[in-house]
């Protein structure tokens, strides 16, 4: 689409329209229409589950047994024991918060079983006062919540392949999840340690067998980072860093160090494995880009997507997620004709910075072939690029930070394929 092409409120020949659900002329009801006498019968029959008292109380709730397909897809690798990923089934979820049990996982050496009574956090290096905290000490500090996404820098890397992968969306874009993280603003503890003027970096280290560590510029540490103790209202799950985790809103997953045990203030970055051999990117020039911390704006249509089938003609709700590591999402446009025309989707409130934002748009499908796309714009004016634009800039053989527009091709039969269009 050329830059000067006008933005259309109604796109795809009137088929994508925010007001579709309100138009009375369209038959959009998907409920089966029933005659009054049938209704009376339905009222008389009591389903099996209505004929005796239900199950007793439970100490910790579980999803319905009918939802057993809504699971993380796990994928280990042979590099080290406990190294691998599990993916969030984004194609099955709604709203903006990822349930803790479905938040994606990325571990380098498994999940440590940490006794919170023995866990300590050390702050040292270029400080005037080294400090050690127990979890009980930390729990006495004032806390704040941050609703934010975490996305692995390697998320969506299958989209660098020359052929579009045919997998459920969550199982190649689901290294991104969103939680309410509650904990202590990092700047409070840094102020207490009296950081020396020469300190420019903070090296954060985890208490897992990998002792994963990364370097974080001090400006960000003083800005909006949190030492999280709670996730979605309860103590952080072991997989996500129990009992203490560094949250670095909007920045790539790897800097959000789990099982946090040490913060070392220094003048230089540490040049750890995960910021040199990994999470750096080779550019077409042959040079590597390093410390590409911010996750750029991205959006995905989660429903319908690969694996769904449109069984009937009529009205559908396109639903998806958008996010940006630079701030708020201000606009998501949806196209049903492969990007020739675009309509603006409704953003579900609240729209928060560095957080998943849910967008929705009604769509009328009458058996026409279609290519569905979504395109996010953030508050800095950054617009999510088309795939060819991203490849031209970053080369054909990237691995990290893939954020191009995703396209779903809908066939005349209602089947959905992933395409590069
Ligand atoms: N200590 C420690 N922190 C870690 C990791 C790890 O293996 N060990 N993995 C990192 C990576 S690469 C990512 S993407 C995120 C994943 O966080 P999650 O498992 O809670 O989704 O944690 C980061 N923090
Ligand atoms: Mo990651």
């Amino acid at each position: 689409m050329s830059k000067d092409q006008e933005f259309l409120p109604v796109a795809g020949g009137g088929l994508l329209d925010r007001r579709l659900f309100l138009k009375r002329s369209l038959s959009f009801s998907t409920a089966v229409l029933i005659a009054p006498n049938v209704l009376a019968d339905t009222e008389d029959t009591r389903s099996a589950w209505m004929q005796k008292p239900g199950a007793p109380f439970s100490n910790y709730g579980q999803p319905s047994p009918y939802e057993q397909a809504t699971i993380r897809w796990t994928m280990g690798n042979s590099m080290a024991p406990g190294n691998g990923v599990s993916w969030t089934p984004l194609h099955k979820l709604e709203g903006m918060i990822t349930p803790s049990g479905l938040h994606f996982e990325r571990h380098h050496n498994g999940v440590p079983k940490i006794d919170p009574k023995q866990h300590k956090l050390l702050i040292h290096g270029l400080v005037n006062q080294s400090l050690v905290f127990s979890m009980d000490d930390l729990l006495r500090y004032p806390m704040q919540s941050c609703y934010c996404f975490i996305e692995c820098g390697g998320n969506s890397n299958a989209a660098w392949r020359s052929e579009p992968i045919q997998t459920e969306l969550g199982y190649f874009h689901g290294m991104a999840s969103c939680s309410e993280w509650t904990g202590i603003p990092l700047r409070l503890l840094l102020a207490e340690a009296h950081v020396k003027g020469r300190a420019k970096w903070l090296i954060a280290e985890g208490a897992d067998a990998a002792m994963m560590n990364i370097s974080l510029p001090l400006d960000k540490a003083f800005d909006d980072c949190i030492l999280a103790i709670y996730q979605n209202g309860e103590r952080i799950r072991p997989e996500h860093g129990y009992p203490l985790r560094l949250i670095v809103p909007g920045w790539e997953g790897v800097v959000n160090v789990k099982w946090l045990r040490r913060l070392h203030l220094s003048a230089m970055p540490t040049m750890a494995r995960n910021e040199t051999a990994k999470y750096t990117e080779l550019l077409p020039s042959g040079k590597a880009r390093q410390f590409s911390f911010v996750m750029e704006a991205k959006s995905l249509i989660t429903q319908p997507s690969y694996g769904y089938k449109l069984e009937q003609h009529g009205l559908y709700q396109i639903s998806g997620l958008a996010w940006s590591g630079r701030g708020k999402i201000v606009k998501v446009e949806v196209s049903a004709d492969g990007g020739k025309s675009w309509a603006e989707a409704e953003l579900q409130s609240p729209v928060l910075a560095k957080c998943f934002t849910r967008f929705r748009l009604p769509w009328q499908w009458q058996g026409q072939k279609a290519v569905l796309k979504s395109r996010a714009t953030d508050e800095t004016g950054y617009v999510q690029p088309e795939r060819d634009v991203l490849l031209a800039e970053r080369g054909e053989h990237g691995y990290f930070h893939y954020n191009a527009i995703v396209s779903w091709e809908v066939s005349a039969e209602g089947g959905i394929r992933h395409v590069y269009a």
Side-chain angles (χ1 to χ4, degrees), residues 72 100-101 105 107 111 237-242 245 258-259:
R72 294 192 285 226
S100 302
E105 301 165 272
H107 318 309
V111 180
R237 299 272 172 104
E239 305 91 288
H240 305 295
Y242 183 89
R245 173 180 208 165
K258 302 190 276 190
W259 315 297

Side-chain angles (χ1 to χ4, degrees), residues 104 106 108 151-155 175 252-255 274 279 400:
F104 86 96
R106 171 77 184 98
H108 288 77
E151 181 179 20
C152 180
N155 192 27
M175 271 198 269
E252 62 183 356
V254 68
V255 297
N274 278 299
Y279 300 100
F400 295 104

